[in-house]
Amino acid sequence: MTKRVSAKYKLDRRMGENVWGRAKSPINKREYGPGEHGQRRKGKMSDFGTQLRAKQKLKGYYANISEKKFRKYYQEADRRKGDTGENLVGILEQRLDAVVYRAKFVPTVFAARQLVNHGHVAVNGQKVDVPSFVVREGDVVEVRRKAHEIPMVIQAQQSNERDVPEYIQAEGLKATFLRVPSLDEVPYPVRMEPNLVVEFYSR
């Protein structure tokens, strides 16, 4: 469990953006940063600061992945052929908690991590309780029957806040991961800049 679960919307205010695109975000009411110095005028950010901000935003979006884990994802993305930034986003979208969130089984990515941790999710019929589990093309992810009546699961199914992306085929509480998406296919509510994340780590 990360600190972000108890103060997740601080990320919105620090970035000055509604990172998850939620109606509850405090940035909708207060566009300045958190803390006593949040309303100070911001000066021009350095290249390092811009890169760090891009990394923190992308890392925080996925329920605040640990720095050690996130760096490993970058290293794996860099090792693969093709654009490193695109590869990084693809790896992040293959996380089980990300697929659970994208399939609208729960309202937030934090709830997705919790649902998986508590053993309420199965992949290809087998219970998986590791949020970072890598979902492959063709894998079927579903909410186990005992969790069908959990309020947040019911709430997410009834919500019109977001749509299921095309790289996931969802029907009720069962979804098939069709393919690893490109950056353009991922429905981020705000602009993500994985190229700046790559620059940050390759310094």
Side-chain angles (χ1 to χ4, degrees), residues 51 54-55 58 70 88 193-201:
Q51 294 161 5
K55 180 194 70 115
L58 187 62
F70 198 72
L88 177 59
E193 299 169 294
N195 59 308
L196 293 181
V197 179
V198 173
E199 289 176 16
F200 176 86
Y201 282 120

Side-chain angles (χ1 to χ4, degrees), residues 10-63:
K10 272 190 179 178
L11 183 71
D12 278 9
R13 293 182 64 199
R14 188 172 295 121
M15 297 296 158
E17 297 177 89
N18 189 345
V19 175
W20 295 281
R22 301 216 71 205
K24 292 180 179 179
S25 173
I27 201 68
N28 296 334
K29 296 178 181 177
R30 300 186 296 275
E31 295 185 354
Y32 50 86
E36 62 179 302
H37 305 301
Q39 296 186 60
R40 284 186 176 177
R41 287 173 62 181
K42 295 173 183 162
K44 188 174 182 233
M45 199 174 286
S46 65
D47 288 345
F48 172 79
T50 304
Q51 294 161 5
L52 176 63
R53 182 186 176 90
K55 180 194 70 115
Q56 297 292 66
K57 184 162 64 170
L58 187 62
K59 184 163 75 86
Y61 178 87
Y62 290 92

